[in-house]
Amino acid sequence: MNASAAGLLPDVSGHFGRYGGRFVPEALIAALDQLDAAYRHAMADEAFQAEFGRLLRDYAGVPSMLYRADRFSAAAGARIFLKREDLNHTGAHKVRNVLGQALLTKRMGKTRVIAETGAGQHGVATATAAALFDLECVVYMGEVDTERQALNVARMQMLGATVIPVKTGSRTLKDAINEALRDWVSSVDSTHYLLGTAAGPHPFPGMVRDFVRGIGVEARQQCLDQTGALPDAVAACVGGGSNAIGIFHAFVGDESVRLYGFEGGGEGVTTDRHSARFSGGSPGVLHGARTYVLQDEDGQTVESYSISAGLDYPSVGPEHAWLHETGRARYLPVTDAEAMDAFQLLCRTEGIIPAIESAHGLGGALAIAPALAEELGREPTIIVNLSGRGDKDVETAGSYFGILGK
Amino acid sequence: MSISEVFEKARAEGRAVSVGCMPAGFPTVEGSIAAMIAMAEAGIDVIEVELPYSDPVMDGPVIQRASEIALAGGVRTKDTLRAIEAVARTGVPVVLMTYWNPIERYGVDAFARDFAAAGGAGLVTPDLIPDEAQEWLAASDAHQLDRTFLVSPSSTDERLAMTVAHCRGFVYATAVMGVTGARETTSTAAPALVARVRAVSDIPVGVGLGVRDGAQAAEVGSFADGVIVGSALVRCVLDAPDEAAGLASLRALSADLARGVRAVKR
């Protein structure tokens, strides 16, 4: 199991056990090979690492703080620490990944980036990096998401990106990915597909993880510095899975640290309106990798649902499928209602408005705290990855709580 | 007649093979069977059935739309097998173009068994590369099915040779870097790609992506062994006011394509 922790996974062909790999048109293989080579070369290049580190520190505001949320903890019955990725430039953990990939884009001599976005966070982050690095930027976004995340569409446009609403299929994130892949097949010579999560074909899952794994490295050291011990549990929401794998990865080798991924439980996993791949899905192939997928008996993708656009995705990164299968991490659904309760609790106890995605991590922490306390016979320490801030979700939350009219 | 025999016969006649595609279940299961039989009767040599899939990343807007219509109509994998059986019964060779997940979900060996029993000749797998195809290699051997993987202008020599070595029946050369859809002009990259395949194998080479009429089929048929046409045929049905008009339009284009591949002596 520690193969993952030691950075030995994925293997050379991009597999995490039976998950991962490359299920893409042959036309993309050369580009994936080029990306893999550029990434491996860059990771071994001190100048690249120094530049990436400088950008994270001076531009993105990394390392983010680890904050002990005392009032939220009192309500939770656990000592809750928040990894404040919401304070990064662009308001989410995703800036780490886009800066890494934008540097690689330059390194490969490409002049254009394309991206998919659900909530808009990755689109905004990509548009930001494209502006910084003088790259042409096209963002594909499901038409449904452009409507529920209109502010982020405006942000991307302000940053100089072209936003293309995707009108096919379910008109959400999965269809935006399809459209980005179609673009990439046609434009691969000049274009890098700046994939927004630790999913897709090899090398994306391992590469994106490596660009965001600083979240966990920092949190682990910060926790040791602040408490003198490792946490009992690490919690994160899981859409595609980059914030979760980013905070999990440094802890995978610490067997005493429980890893919890919280998926979009929507209206409940017994209904057909959720995004819980590990509760309601099964192994399958989607968007370039073998992983867990929400699918019907025929292998057709089933449309996912979550109040959070960023979790509304029927597939998940293959390393999470591996961590699930090996039992190293547990994946549990958190319903819209549980997430929104946690959202409100954090607002009222800590003065922090979280992204609704991150609120699923908070809601999950609240749910597991009592059993964990009982198991340990003491107050547990839980780090929650506060992966993004809630500015973009004010309208959704406002209408949910009846503060804003719909 | 097997796929290999179709290509051998066409080679003997000094012409290319026409391959016509249609999603099963579009606009209905029965309608798609009628469409494919009409294509074959009008002279299309090989019918390539496409299994409708929710996330067809290699397909352009026309086939996406047709697949959406088929899925909205409730088409199931077993309906696709039924369509294959009905079309194969007329004697025309049938291959299936399918994204990988529906096959994996069905069970790779089980699908190969049932597909062979339905009279299908082989699979074209746009998102499955030989590197990930261990199960399919075994199942296709066990059930004596052809395997068509794709090669691309961007494939390295090494990958191209490896991919071609894993094909049986024919290899699919994607003429353009892009998704399916009829185009104004055929690709300049295609002849070079076909030549690269010929340098490593004598397996028949089918060229697809972009052919829309007999004239283009003739052009592609002058250097390729097979001319694969999808979106232009699907559009005949998509744009027709009713089923009869769609079939008439489909027969006319099929006949034009059949003439096209015979217009050039190789």
Side-chain angles (χ1 to χ4, degrees):
Chain A
M1 179 57 248
N2 286 352
S4 217
L8 299 175
L9 288 180
D11 65 18
V12 68
S13 59
H15 293 87
F16 302 86
R18 65 177 168 141
Y19 300 104
R22 284 179 176 175
F23 293 81
V24 291
E26 170 66 22
L28 291 178
I29 297 294
L32 292 169
D33 280 342
Q34 176 195 27
L35 179 62
D36 188 32
Y39 146 71
R40 280 186 291 112
H41 192 260
M43 291 317 258
D45 178 355
E46 281 179 20
F48 178 93
Q49 294 293 355
E51 176 67 358
F52 184 43
R54 184 189 67 80
L55 280 167
L56 287 176
R57 186 187 67 232
D58 299 345
Y59 181 73
V62 162
S64 61
M65 293 173 284
L66 187 74
Y67 166 67
R68 197 182 72 209
D70 287 340
R71 293 194 64 227
F72 188 85
S73 296
R79 191 163 54 157
I80 306 277
F81 285 84
L82 303 176
K83 181 60 175 162
R84 299 292 310 273
E85 290 293 294
D86 61 311
L87 295 178
N88 295 347
H89 181 46
T90 76
H93 73 285
K94 289 184 178 287
V95 69
R96 299 176 186 251
N97 172 40
V98 297
L99 290 174
Q101 287 197 52
L103 278 173
L104 276 186
T105 305
K106 282 291 196 191
R107 204 177 168 94
M108 291 186 288
K110 296 188 174 185
T111 55
R112 177 176 178 263
V113 289
I114 52 175
E116 82 297 336
T117 196
Q121 289 299 88
H122 175 59
V124 169
T126 303
T128 301
L132 180 67
F133 285 86
D134 190 23
L135 298 163
E136 186 191 341
C137 178
V138 172
V139 178
Y140 291 96
M141 189 169 187
E143 194 177 36
V144 171
D145 292 331
T146 60
E147 289 158 9
R148 58 181 170 181
Q149 299 287 351
L151 273 180
N152 269 340
V153 174
R155 283 192 184 96
M156 290 183 258
Q157 290 167 333
M158 283 173 201
L159 292 161
T162 304
V163 180
I164 300 182
V166 176
K167 300 176 181 176
T168 54
S170 57
R171 299 180 297 135
T172 58
L173 177 60
K174 88 172 175 72
D175 308 285
I177 294 174
N178 292 342
E179 211 51 46
L181 284 167
R182 290 181 187 120
D183 179 317
W184 204 28
V185 171
S186 315
S187 64
V188 77
D189 287 345
S190 66
T191 300
H192 172 60
Y193 179 11
L194 210 159
L195 187 73
T197 191
H202 176 65
F204 284 106
M207 179 183 79
V208 173
R209 176 200 69 201
D210 288 350
F211 285 143
V212 298
R213 69 182 299 276
I215 302 169
V217 173
E218 293 160 21
R220 189 175 184 279
Q221 191 56 51
Q222 289 164 325
C223 188
L224 288 170
D225 291 347
Q226 290 184 38
T227 72
L230 290 170
D232 298 303
V234 173
C237 65
V238 184
S242 65
N243 92 84
I245 208 72
I247 197 162
F248 285 178
H249 198 246
F251 293 99
V252 168
D254 299 319
E255 289 179 13
S256 68
V257 181
R258 297 153 186 81
L259 305 176
Y260 288 97
F262 295 108
E263 301 185 280
E267 294 173 5
V269 294
T270 55
T271 73
D272 59 0
R273 284 175 59 77
H274 65 81
S275 305
R277 290 71 39 105
F278 293 113
S279 301
S282 50
V285 170
L286 182 63
H287 292 146
R290 182 177 289 117
T291 179
Y292 267 68
V293 180
L294 291 180
Q295 55 183 330
D296 69 11
E297 290 170 8
D298 280 349
Q300 304 289 348
T301 309
V302 170
E303 289 181 18
S304 54
Y305 162 78
S306 169
I307 191 172
S308 150
L311 302 186
D312 187 355
Y313 180 48
S315 183
V316 63
E319 191 162 8
H320 288 293
W322 166 247
L323 292 172
H324 166 75
E325 185 155 290
T326 56
R328 181 60 191 96
R330 290 191 63 196
Y331 296 86
L332 301 167
V334 171
T335 63
D336 287 357
E338 290 170 318
M340 296 314 288
D341 286 352
F343 175 99
Q344 191 164 46
L345 184 64
L346 192 75
C347 289
R348 301 291 170 87
T349 57
E350 299 291 346
I352 297 170
I353 302 176
I356 295 177
E357 287 80 4
S358 315
H360 285 70
L362 296 164
L366 293 173
I368 61 167
L372 200 53
E374 192 173 338
E375 183 191 334
L376 295 168
R378 58 172 170 79
E379 187 183 55
T381 300
I382 304 172
I383 297 179
V384 179
N385 195 13
L386 200 68
S387 53
R389 64 174 178 242
D391 309 29
K392 67 183 178 62
D393 292 321
V394 167
E395 197 175 340
T396 305
S399 59
Y400 180 89
F401 293 117
I403 298 167
L404 293 169
K406 231 339 189 187
Chain B
M1 206 182 307
S2 73
I3 297 295
S4 299
E5 286 167 337
V6 175
F7 278 99
E8 276 168 31
K9 182 168 169 287
R11 268 184 185 174
E13 294 170 11
R15 67 169 181 93
V17 165
S18 56
V19 181
C21 314
M22 191 60 59
F26 165 70
T28 61
V29 177
E30 295 310 321
S32 67
I33 292 169
M36 291 186 271
I37 290 174
M39 285 156 57
E41 286 172 345
I44 297 292
D45 298 301
V46 175
I47 300 296
E48 186 183 279
V49 182
E50 177 151 348
L51 189 145
Y53 177 53
S54 52
D55 296 272
V57 292
M58 262 299 278
D59 285 306
V62 173
I63 294 179
Q64 280 178 52
R65 184 76 198 109
S67 294
E68 277 181 13
I69 290 168
L71 289 169
V75 68
R76 304 285 311 271
T77 301
K78 63 179 189 303
D79 297 315
T80 297
L81 286 167
R82 183 161 65 85
I84 288 162
E85 189 165 24
V87 176
R89 209 179 298 127
T90 68
V92 66
V94 178
V95 294
L96 176 69
M97 172 155 161
T98 180
Y99 292 91
W100 195 240
N101 196 50
I103 306 306
E104 195 151 289
R105 186 71 171 159
Y106 194 100
V108 178
D109 189 73
F111 187 84
R113 178 196 66 214
D114 293 353
F115 176 75
L123 299 192
V124 181
T125 51
D127 65 345
L128 184 73
I129 55 177
D131 321 50
E132 300 282 356
Q134 293 78 357
E135 248 193 304
W136 166 232
L137 298 176
S140 51
D141 285 344
H143 300 280
Q144 298 178 316
L145 294 170
D146 286 337
R147 293 189 291 257
T148 296
F149 294 104
L150 278 59
V151 293
S152 156
S154 64
S155 304
T156 61
D157 289 346
E158 187 187 2
R159 281 201 62 81
L160 183 133
M162 181 276 290
T163 304
V164 169
H166 285 92
C167 290
R168 193 160 54 211
F170 71 104
V171 57
Y172 191 131
T174 51
V176 286
M177 291 296 287
V179 295
T180 58
R183 289 171 172 81
E184 290 298 316
T185 54
T186 56
S187 152
T188 52
L193 181 57
V194 172
R196 289 175 62 204
V197 176
R198 298 230 193 281
V200 295
S201 171
D202 60 359
I203 191 170
V205 190
V207 167
L209 302 190
V211 176
R212 61 173 188 169
D213 59 26
Q216 286 185 343
E219 191 185 328
V220 172
S222 68
F223 60 83
D225 303 296
V227 182
I228 304 165
V229 184
S231 295
L233 289 161
V234 171
R235 188 176 280 286
C236 290
V237 181
L238 205 54
D239 292 351
D242 57 55
E243 190 172 344
L247 286 174
S249 163
L250 201 54
R251 283 195 185 92
L253 178 57
S254 299
D256 186 38
L257 295 168
R259 278 192 301 274
V261 295
R262 287 169 175 79
V264 181
K265 283 294 173 196
R266 295 156 51 97

